[in-house]
Amino acid sequence: QVHLVESGGGLVQAGGSLRLSCAASGITFSINSMGWYRQAPGKQRELVARITRGGTTTYPDSVKGRFTISRENAKSTVYLQMNSLKPDDTAVYYCNARRGVDAFDYWGQGTQVTVSS
């Protein structure tokens, strides 16, 4: 079992920055990749960023160049640096950890990010 705890959400003006953190505990050696997803009201949950244990990153075009995911393997912690935030980035952000053996997903409780115009 893996437990994920997120922190760092909040309210920011458009153009501002926020940094999200996610600490994993439990059987963390089973995790192959970690990532961030977001879900806005009335919309499906979507991938924001993903990073593998080896450091390979993936971003959708909507955040590429503005968001950066990083990881401290020793601490089983992943970060999401969000710059040049837009009102469209407003959503609940969820930390995700994917088990390597069967791609089972663990989820955090979510943290609200609100970007005002």
Side-chain angles (χ1 to χ4, degrees):
Q1 185 74 323
V2 173
H3 185 55
L4 303 173
V5 178
E6 302 124 330
S7 60
L11 173 65
V12 65
Q13 288 188 332
S17 299
L18 280 175
R19 189 190 194 210
L20 305 182
S21 299
C22 174
S25 61
I27 310 177
T28 57
F29 68 83
S30 66
I31 297 171
N32 180 51
S33 67
M34 296 183 71
W36 291 93
Y37 287 70
R38 67 186 180 188
Q39 188 166 19
K43 295 187 177 180
Q44 289 189 331
R45 190 172 297 190
E46 62 177 358
L47 174 69
V48 175
R50 176 165 294 282
I51 186 167
T52 68
R53 183 175 289 274
T56 301
T57 57
T58 304
Y59 304 95
D61 288 343
S62 58
V63 307
K64 199 172 292 183
R66 300 189 298 122
F67 291 10
T68 303
I69 189 170
S70 60
R71 179 173 178 170
E72 285 189 72
N73 286 334
K75 295 182 179 181
S76 297
T77 300
V78 64
Y79 306 96
L80 184 67
Q81 179 66 43
M82 304 185 292
N83 298 327
S84 302
L85 283 161
K86 306 174 182 179
D88 284 349
D89 295 318
T90 296
V92 178
Y93 284 68
Y94 295 92
C95 180
N96 168 271
R98 184 162 293 168
R99 196 161 60 191
V101 65
D102 59 1
F104 180 84
D105 284 324
Y106 296 97
W107 295 95
Q109 80 283 358
T111 185
Q112 177 70 46
V113 171
T114 302
V115 184
S116 62
S117 57

